[in-house]
């Protein structure tokens, strides 16, 4: 099982929040693989994270993985570089400001089943240029989502001509996951 975070240019509060997010998932989901990807920030800023049980990786090593590049200054698109650490495993992407205080039932179900992806219920529809492609009534927030083993959206990413706006990453992931079977984490769980 892989848990991963992405951090870019931020302040001390953002780094503190990221630290708490990582610790909370390590506490409730121990003995897994943890990754911290970074971009638009100096590695030395992340030195305090080296005491945690995680691999810290520069995302610039993956910038040529797709036809398009993430925009400088945008943080959201970077979480897809690389798309997968290990496609043969369950992999959960987590926003830096997401801290859990107990195990999440839907994460446990996701880990136990190789046929379902994982999505998080959103408050509203915010999918950028993907708005028309998401099923009516489905509200997804990509603050946390998970890919089942062998789920690959690289082709979807390569079919994008450009990142039009802030919500395009959320729209792309929501579109790809809405076409699959999934568990949905309700807003009341996180």
């Amino acid at each position: 099982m892989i848990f991963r975070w992405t951090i870019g240019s931020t302040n001390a509060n953002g780094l503190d929040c990221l630290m708490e997010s990582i610790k909370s998932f390590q506490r409730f989901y121990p003995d897994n693989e943890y990754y911290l990807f970074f971009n638009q920030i100096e590695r030395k800023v992340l030195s305090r994270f080296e005491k945690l049980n995680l691999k810290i990786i520069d995302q610039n090593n993956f910038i040529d993985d797709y036809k398009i590049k993430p925009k400088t200054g945008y943080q959201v698109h970077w979480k897809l570089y690389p798309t997968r650490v290990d496609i043969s495993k369950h992999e959960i992407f987590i926003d830096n400001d997401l801290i859990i205080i107990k195990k999440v039932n839907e994460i446990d179900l996701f880990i136990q089943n190789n046929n379902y992806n994982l999505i998080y219920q959103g408050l509203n529809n915010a999918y950028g240029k993907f708005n028309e492609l998401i099923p009516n009534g489905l509200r997804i927030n990509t603050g946390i989502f998970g890919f089942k083993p062998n789920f690959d959206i690289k082709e979807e990413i390569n079919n994008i001509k450009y990142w039009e706006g802030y919500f395009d990453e959320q729209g792309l992931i929501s579109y790809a996951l809405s076409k699959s079977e999934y568990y949905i984490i309700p807003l009341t769980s996180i």
Side-chain angles (χ1 to χ4, degrees), residues 6-9 37-41 58-60 74-75 78:
T6 298
I7 189 73
S9 179
F37 291 96
F38 69 95
N39 64 80
Q40 303 176 84
I41 190 172
D58 185 343
Q59 288 179 287
N60 287 298
Y74 272 25
Q75 299 303 316
W78 280 95

Side-chain angles (χ1 to χ4, degrees), residues 133-151:
L133 300 174
I134 309 301
N136 229 4
L138 183 61
R139 296 182 323 270
I140 300 173
N141 180 311
T142 57
I144 181 170
F145 62 92
F147 293 150
K148 64 186 178 181
N150 302 313
F151 184 81

Side-chain angles (χ1 to χ4, degrees), residues 10-147:
T10 190
N11 58 30
N13 289 337
L15 293 171
D16 289 345
C17 195
L18 171 62
M19 178 70 78
E20 292 307 312
S21 179
I22 294 168
K23 285 179 174 180
S24 73
F25 280 88
Q26 287 181 336
R27 180 172 38 258
F28 293 107
Y29 299 96
D31 305 319
N32 288 290
E33 296 177 43
Y34 310 98
Y35 289 81
L36 175 57
F37 291 96
F38 69 95
N39 64 80
Q40 303 176 84
I41 190 172
E42 302 259 342
R43 184 182 175 102
K44 64 183 175 184
V45 174
L46 304 173
S47 61
R48 69 188 211 178
F49 292 90
E50 292 172 359
K51 66 183 178 183
L52 299 176
N53 176 27
L54 75 161
K55 295 177 181 151
I56 302 173
I57 300 173
D58 185 343
Q59 288 179 287
N60 287 298
N61 298 331
F62 304 98
I63 200 136
D64 293 322
D65 280 5
Y66 315 112
K67 293 177 185 174
I68 61 167
K69 312 274 186 263
K71 286 184 180 179
T72 301
Y74 272 25
Q75 299 303 316
V76 293
H77 308 126
W78 280 95
K79 74 170 68 169
L80 296 172
Y81 292 80
T83 305
R84 301 296 302 260
V85 172
D86 184 342
I87 199 164
S88 70
K89 297 179 180 180
H90 288 87
E91 193 163 336
I92 295 182
F93 297 64
I94 306 159
D95 276 2
N96 309 330
D97 60 353
L98 202 148
I99 299 166
I100 59 172
I101 56 172
K102 63 181 181 178
K103 287 187 96 172
V104 177
N105 183 52
E106 293 76 17
I107 291 176
D108 292 335
L109 291 171
F110 167 71
I111 292 169
Q112 296 164 11
N113 191 318
N114 288 341
N115 299 315
Y116 288 79
N117 286 307
L118 182 69
I119 60 176
Y120 178 44
Q121 182 181 19
L123 286 173
N124 51 36
N125 304 355
Y127 307 117
K129 64 184 175 184
F130 292 87
N131 265 333
E132 303 302 317
L133 300 174
I134 309 301
N136 229 4
L138 183 61
R139 296 182 323 270
I140 300 173
N141 180 311
T142 57
I144 181 170
F145 62 92
F147 293 150

